[in-house]
Amino acid sequence: MTSSASDHAFSGATAVHATGEGRFDVQLSPDWTIAGRPNGGYLLAILGRAVTDAAGEHRHVLAASAHYLRAPEPGPAHVEVQTLRSGRSASQHRARLVQGDLGCVEVLVTSGRLVDTRPDWSVLTPTEPAPFTRCVRIPGTGPGGFRAPIFDVVDARLDPADTGFAAGAPSGRGELRGWLELPAQENFDAVSLLYAVDAFPPATFEIAPSGWVPTLELTVYVRALPAPGPVRVHHRAQLIDGQRVDETCWIWDAAGRLVAQSTQLAGIRLA
Amino acid sequence: MTSSASDHAFSGATAVHATGEGRFDVQLSPDWTIAGRPNGGYLLAILGRAVTDAAGEHRHVLAASAHYLRAPEPGPAHVEVQTLRSGRSASQHRARLVQGDLGCVEVLVTSGRLVDTRPDWSVLTPTEPAPFTRCVRIPGTGPGGFRAPIFDVVDARLDPADTGFAAGAPSGRGELRGWLELPAQENFDAVSLLYAVDAFPPATFEIAPSGWVPTLELTVYVRALPAPGPVRVHHRAQLIDGQRVDETCWIWDAAGRLVAQSTQLAGIRLA
């Protein structure tokens, strides 16, 4: 068998197949993994796709809140979706990712319709990383042979100012800025933005070395449908306390519009 | 009948009564309301109390994500709690607030144990509102006779610099800073912090007048057990787009420690 860029397409790797009564079969791709486990944002995007497939008119995720129970393995799994309320302008849903008979990710989703508007008010200014071509692409194979196949398929690039960790000299600022582009330059949409907010490495890399930083909770708000092209990412840690860290992520589209934002709480053990 | 400060105690107003199999009877207090409807953070605290009552060793809420389906009325309701996973250091739960046979609030909770540690790293500095006695207490009866009984029982005070909206001259900054103290000076704990993050009026008051700002989603991280005394509140809007606004809230205890943080997405129609 041969492999092409389209085999790795995000839309294909997050495809869901309805089998009736709110149940969807899915295949967790070995490509979208880090150290053998699927990325948490990738899993959330699969859940979001199943929910919006079941949501009718309210086909865009507005807010999704995921709690991570256990990390599944690549391979077959299924999603169960239950609509809790169908309102006039929004609907609420509960969904879970199950592998074997074990629940792996539990999520609540409020869905609605994203329409073409312009922001009314904001205190935010778009992050301004170095230009795409001057940023440093994250490799799929890191120091010591550490394998993160996801970075072979997605083009995630860091501002050179935020790559100190790679040389053992983190900036201490606890933030990563850069660019993200899907395989085969597939454009982002309201589903893939659920992945985008969790695509970068832990922002704590720019604080201090640590072991695995497992996400406990991830909340994403999708604010607008993105313009075509790569998105800008600003991923920032605020506080490490009691072996937990919070991280905020903002995603800006090519037009400089905030299209998604997230907050997550993760476990961390500083080395 | 006479009424005393202790009748309004937060712990009493959020009491839950186990009736078996993860079900709890609750009474939604008419005191903790705005325009006749219970405050969303108050409802989340009730859910949090039921979850942690059912959670055994993992008795502190670490992360709670609530989606609001419909606003209940004061009076009897019940909470259903289901534990999804009991792990070594954390557990995950699903809970819902039901009135009659209608689901009102749906929540996912990760619980664990908050232990006495010190922060390892932070980019945050505590908000510094004017001293407690120089801040302006929010009244239970506002302009035009608008009733928010919750502000008769809780002592919520705004920095004078953030009260422009009351005179029809909002600052435009979209933030409210101040202090919060529970009735009868009851100390905050990991449950009442779930209320604290939603205690202030919408931060959008300091942008422009609007109608009702209903919360769609509210995520809270409890970061540490608070020191005794009133807490400092920093409540800030970031972006209004497509008739939705996000608001971030940070809660600092008397010792200057970040004890809780939240993000919410709410509907808004600017006047």
Side-chain angles (χ1 to χ4, degrees), chain A residues 65 67 94 106 110 117 120-123 217 219 221 223 238-241 244 246 257 261 264, chain B residues 65 67 94 106 110 117 120-123 217 219 221 223 238-241 244 246 257 261 264:
Chain A
S65 323
H67 289 240
R94 175 198 283 164
E106 193 88 14
T110 294
T117 56
D120 290 299
W121 177 92
S122 183
V123 292
E217 200 273 352
T219 290
Y221 302 151
R223 305 303 302 270
Q238 287 193 129
L239 170 68
I240 304 177
D241 193 348
R244 283 178 287 272
D246 66 298
R257 183 169 187 179
Q261 66 192 116
Q264 68 173 275
Chain B
S65 324
H67 288 240
R94 175 197 285 164
E106 194 89 13
T110 294
T117 55
D120 290 299
W121 177 91
S122 182
V123 292
E217 200 272 353
T219 290
Y221 303 151
R223 305 304 301 271
Q238 286 193 129
L239 171 67
I240 304 177
D241 193 348
R244 283 179 286 273
D246 65 299
R257 183 169 187 180
Q261 65 191 117
Q264 69 172 275

Side-chain angles (χ1 to χ4, degrees), chain A residues 122-146:
Chain A
S122 183
V123 292
L124 298 171
T125 51
T127 190
E128 295 285 1
F132 187 85
T133 52
R134 285 198 39 236
C135 285
V136 182
R137 182 166 174 178
I138 301 173
T141 303
F146 181 84

Side-chain angles (χ1 to χ4, degrees), chain A residues 102-113:
Chain A
L102 291 177
C104 298
V105 186
E106 193 88 14
V107 65
L108 292 170
V109 172
T110 294
S111 72
R113 283 293 291 275

